[in-house]
Amino acid sequence: MMLRIRSRDGLERIQVDGPQITIFQLKTLIESQLQIPIQNQTLSTDQNLLLAKTPADLLRFSDMTDPSIPLSALNLSHGSIIFLYYHGERTVRGGPTVSPAGSFGRKMTMDDLIAKQTRITRQESPHCDSVSFDRDSANGFQRFVNETLAFASKRGGFMYGTVTDAGRVEVDFIYEPPQQGLEGDLVLLRDPEEEKLVDAIAAGLGRKRVGFIFTQTIMQEKKDYNFSNKEIIQAAELHAESELKEWVTVVVKLEANEDGAADVHFEAFQMSDMCVKLFKDGWFVTEFGENDDPKLSKMKKDVVVGGKDVKEVDNDFFLVVVKIFDHQGPLSTSFPIENRKNLVALRALKSHLDRTKSLPFVKRISDFHLLLFLAKSQGLGSDVPALAECVNTQTAVPEGYQLLIESMANAA
């Protein structure tokens, strides 16, 4: 039976005799196969273990502290992921061979000298404390990719919300730009004018762009990585573009559970500072061949990983885990979402207003997607930010705007 062990060094595999072995026996195998002493190991099925900073933090992860418990009691089976925190240093087994860069007989260039100083190490802590999703917004996104797209093609969106003083990113809505979702690639067909409208509406709502969310397809061979090399490059590009240190990238995937059914999972990360810097400096190879390993990012020049000069880096070195929570935000998400397969028409506006007619008018239009519809298709682009401010402060909408919107709906 194969188990996957994720630590600060990335993802590694170990072979065990079966789910009947105990946690102590598992630790013994980790010691022999990964060269990490038993006394230095802390194991858990909770990925937040990798965020631990102090010995006190480690005490919170107690699911695998009893050495006599068999793996079967934790529902661990072939291919399961176990998270490992360890003290000390080690040499990662099976690392790439040392390249001859800088050896005797070769003249060192300035690029060589810079590469010698470019060391890829794991960033232990994100710049944001956590990310919290508005439940309805997150559910609307995952329901579309699950029930309509069946995770057969990729989908992405920009997350909008706030960053609290404590560094918590709170996502209140997701804008889905025009895009082409393929089996392995996500092509964003970005419209600068539409994005200006989106940002203006968000500003009126007291929100800003705080991250990117995307899905992986069921056809991707993603068992050995969180992000593929193409996904790393796209995430790094958007993170660099944002210039927001708390920027979060979220992946949504479908995974089989122990009962054989499929569950939708949200996982949040930040791209490491080194990843963003390397992208800005043009170090990533952006063209890939069929035989390239998707879990490895290719560099144009040698970098130092684990004391070795390499041109391929495990994608996990560029990811920093972020904790996920949820909340109930102030905005509705019941209006049809933009840029999906079905064109949103005026009858959708009438249906929405009829359904919410018992509410004050400002509550009836407290939906980002409705405001974007008015701005895009009804010639109210310059007026909608003012309506958004009414929504943000929950103050009465000027009568002229209310009559205009209602007349549009009645014309459907």
Side-chain angles (χ1 to χ4, degrees), residues 1-75:
M1 181 173 100
M2 182 273 289
L3 293 175
R4 292 177 286 168
I5 307 297
R6 187 175 296 284
S7 71
R8 68 187 190 224
D9 301 318
L11 192 68
E12 299 172 88
R13 298 183 182 89
I14 65 168
Q15 295 294 328
V16 303
D17 291 337
Q20 75 279 359
I21 71 166
T22 65
I23 290 175
F24 177 77
Q25 291 172 312
L26 172 62
K27 287 189 171 184
T28 302
L29 291 170
I30 290 175
E31 181 177 58
S32 64
Q33 296 184 35
L34 303 186
Q35 293 76 52
I36 301 173
I38 292 175
Q39 64 271 20
N40 291 356
Q41 301 175 26
T42 300
L43 301 177
S44 178
T45 57
D46 185 345
Q47 68 174 357
N48 289 316
L49 172 68
L50 301 183
L51 296 173
K53 298 183 180 67
T54 66
D57 291 339
L58 295 177
L59 296 176
R60 296 189 292 110
F61 302 93
S62 58
D63 57 325
M64 298 185 71
T65 54
D66 186 340
S68 64
I69 292 179
L71 301 187
S72 58
L74 298 171
N75 294 318

Side-chain angles (χ1 to χ4, degrees), residues 66-124:
D66 186 340
S68 64
I69 292 179
L71 301 187
S72 58
L74 298 171
N75 294 318
L76 295 173
S77 58
H78 179 76
S80 293
I81 296 180
I82 296 172
F83 297 91
L84 164 66
Y85 181 100
Y86 70 89
H87 302 283
E89 300 297 329
R90 64 183 280 246
T91 299
V92 180
R93 64 173 186 172
T97 57
V98 179
S99 77
S103 59
F104 288 111
R106 179 183 173 203
K107 185 176 180 180
M108 295 285 283
T109 66
M110 184 59 68
D111 281 347
D112 291 331
L113 293 173
I114 293 173
K116 285 292 183 185
Q117 299 171 358
T118 304
R119 296 181 178 273
I120 309 294
T121 57
R122 185 171 297 280
Q123 182 176 320
E124 299 295 338

